[in-house]
Amino acid sequence: MIVLSERKSMNYKAANKETLIVLRESLGLSQAELARQTGISQGALSNYESGRVPTVEALEILGKFYEVYFVVDWTGHIAVEEKLSHQAKVA
């Protein structure tokens, strides 16, 4: 389970930064390592972790890598939903 801050007043840039950093750090990866494994440039990853809204393509790549769904609302806020495992879908 991924636990993010529960601060309600956090703006979407701070929330996006926290979301993407928590996901990366939960696997013990640096931005450079994540860039190598996903093909997304380290500069782009840095921008996303600084609050820039990732492209749809980047979210698709990162979602597959982390095995999560990203949900982006009209303000640019990114939420994360965990994918169900194959066994959970069948049950």
Side-chain angles (χ1 to χ4, degrees):
M1 169 163 266
I2 299 163
V3 179
L4 302 174
S5 172
E6 301 204 8
R7 290 178 284 163
K8 303 290 185 202
S9 62
M10 186 184 299
N11 68 39
Y12 81 84
K13 286 187 178 186
N16 291 351
K17 175 181 177 177
E18 183 175 350
T19 298
L20 296 173
I21 291 172
V22 167
L23 285 168
R24 178 176 54 77
E25 290 180 347
S26 72
L27 296 178
L29 297 174
S30 67
Q31 285 182 350
E33 291 167 324
L34 181 60
R36 279 193 296 277
Q37 292 188 38
T38 62
I40 299 171
S41 74
Q42 184 177 355
L45 293 170
S46 177
N47 286 337
Y48 303 152
E49 289 185 3
S50 296
R52 184 172 181 198
V53 178
T55 64
V56 171
E57 293 82 11
L59 287 175
E60 288 176 352
I61 292 167
L62 292 170
K64 286 178 184 176
F65 182 81
Y66 291 126
E67 298 182 350
V68 298
Y69 292 111
F70 289 105
V71 180
V72 182
D73 69 18
W74 66 274
T75 67
H77 177 262
I78 299 172
V80 177
E81 295 182 7
E82 294 185 71
K83 290 183 181 178
L84 296 176
S85 69
H86 179 67
Q87 288 180 328
K89 289 179 185 176
V90 175

